[in-house]
Amino acid sequence: MRLIKVSDYNEMSETAARLLYEKVAEKPDAVLGLATGGTPEETYAALVRKVKAEPVDLSRLQTFNLDEYAGLSPSHPNSYYKYMEKKFVQPLQLNKTQFHIPNGEAGDGEKEAARYESLVQESSGVDLQLLGIGENGHIGFNEPGTSFHAKTHVVTLNKETRAANAKYFKQMEDVPEKAITMGIGTIMNSRSIILIVSGKRKAQALKRLMSEEVSEDFPASILHSHPDVTIIADKEAASLLS
């Protein structure tokens, strides 16, 4: 596990974008695993700028998103489909066949989870997975207590996670209670992982992660068992590290 300390959110984002760019430049048919939320927003913006400044072939790129809210249609303004369409797919002019995300509108969530898991496994495998970390240590929407062996599944979001995402909705009641997420076992099959961490609110989580304790009570701790993990943390997030 490699820790890169940077000065601020912008430097964290630029650093992560450079690593994503280098992977695609090195392997044009790369499979990227992508995250959503506030933390990776500028990473995607920086990647778009980098690709426009130094064009690379993206025609064979494939992407798989970590998760999607259950019950939201792709056209819903708070769906992760819409997030990725706006911040990644359209700016990079990708074909929608290159972009994969669970269907939040699926009537049978577990069936959709199984379909998505099969899709990930049928690809050549995720070459580089981008992750964020929740204050409770969740990765994707895998809440504390999730089995380290879990594959893509339906999860009930706990109140802390819903509260953290409430800022994107008009009111707390609008935040979905469930989501479909890649499981920890699926994430760990990725060849390489980048974890981006920003801000004081994530400092305690990063400190616990770096303590090397491995427990299902803190999902991100499983990353200690992966052979190729790079953590990029800004000054505030790393403020509790010695």
Side-chain angles (χ1 to χ4, degrees):
M1 185 178 283
R2 179 170 65 128
L3 174 63
I4 301 175
K5 294 181 181 180
V6 296
S7 60
D8 56 23
Y9 174 74
N10 286 335
E11 187 180 357
M12 179 206 74
S13 303
E14 293 284 350
T15 303
R18 176 175 53 80
L19 295 178
L20 290 170
Y21 176 89
E22 289 173 354
K23 175 55 67 177
V24 177
E26 164 199 320
K27 187 180 181 187
D29 62 346
V31 178
L32 299 182
L34 302 176
T36 48
T39 305
E41 281 192 39
E42 183 57 30
T43 295
Y44 295 142
L47 178 60
V48 171
R49 292 194 296 270
K50 181 76 171 172
V51 169
K52 288 183 177 179
E54 301 176 49
V56 289
D57 178 16
L58 299 179
S59 65
R60 290 180 285 161
L61 175 68
Q62 292 286 316
T63 71
F64 286 89
N65 259 75
L66 281 170
D67 41 39
E68 177 61 285
Y69 287 117
L72 296 192
S73 70
S75 62
H76 191 286
N78 291 119
S79 72
Y80 286 155
Y81 183 101
K82 182 61 68 174
Y83 173 108
M84 293 304 301
E85 186 178 57
K86 179 180 178 181
K87 301 179 185 300
F88 191 89
V89 178
Q90 290 181 347
L92 292 176
Q93 298 182 320
L94 298 183
N95 188 304
K96 288 187 178 181
T97 61
Q98 296 175 257
F99 161 60
H100 308 283
I101 189 168
N103 178 11
E105 268 192 317
D108 186 332
E110 292 296 351
K111 186 175 182 179
E112 170 60 14
R115 182 198 70 83
Y116 195 70
E117 178 69 25
S118 294
L119 199 62
V120 175
Q121 299 307 325
E122 288 166 8
S123 74
S124 60
V126 174
D127 293 297
L128 182 57
Q129 175 67 60
L130 181 67
L131 294 177
I133 184 173
E135 292 177 54
N136 62 4
H138 73 239
I139 49 177
F141 270 136
N142 294 285
E143 301 286 16
T146 302
S147 168
F148 284 155
H149 304 291
K151 301 302 183 183
T152 304
H153 61 287
V154 177
V155 60
T156 298
L157 305 176
N158 67 28
K159 63 180 182 180
E160 290 82 10
T161 298
R162 293 182 68 234
N165 289 318
K167 61 185 176 183
Y168 302 110
F169 294 81
K170 289 183 179 179
Q171 54 190 0
M172 180 68 174
E173 290 73 19
D174 294 334
V175 183
E177 296 182 356
K178 293 187 176 183
I180 300 172
T181 185
M182 275 191 197
I184 295 173
T186 313
I187 291 169
M188 290 293 286
N189 283 334
S190 307
R191 295 183 181 93
S192 299
I193 294 173
I194 297 173
L195 176 69
I196 51 176
V197 195
S198 176
K200 290 183 179 179
R201 289 180 58 185
K202 300 295 179 70
Q204 190 60 49
L206 182 60
K207 179 182 179 181
R208 183 170 178 183
L209 175 60
M210 299 309 295
S211 73
E212 300 188 15
E213 167 202 2
V214 177
S215 168
E216 289 182 351
D217 289 336
F218 193 75
S221 65
I222 189 60
L223 297 178
H224 285 287
S225 302
H226 194 284
D228 187 2
V229 175
T230 299
I231 301 171
I232 308 170
D234 66 17
K235 185 176 181 180
E236 288 188 342
S239 61
L240 299 181
L241 301 181
S242 57

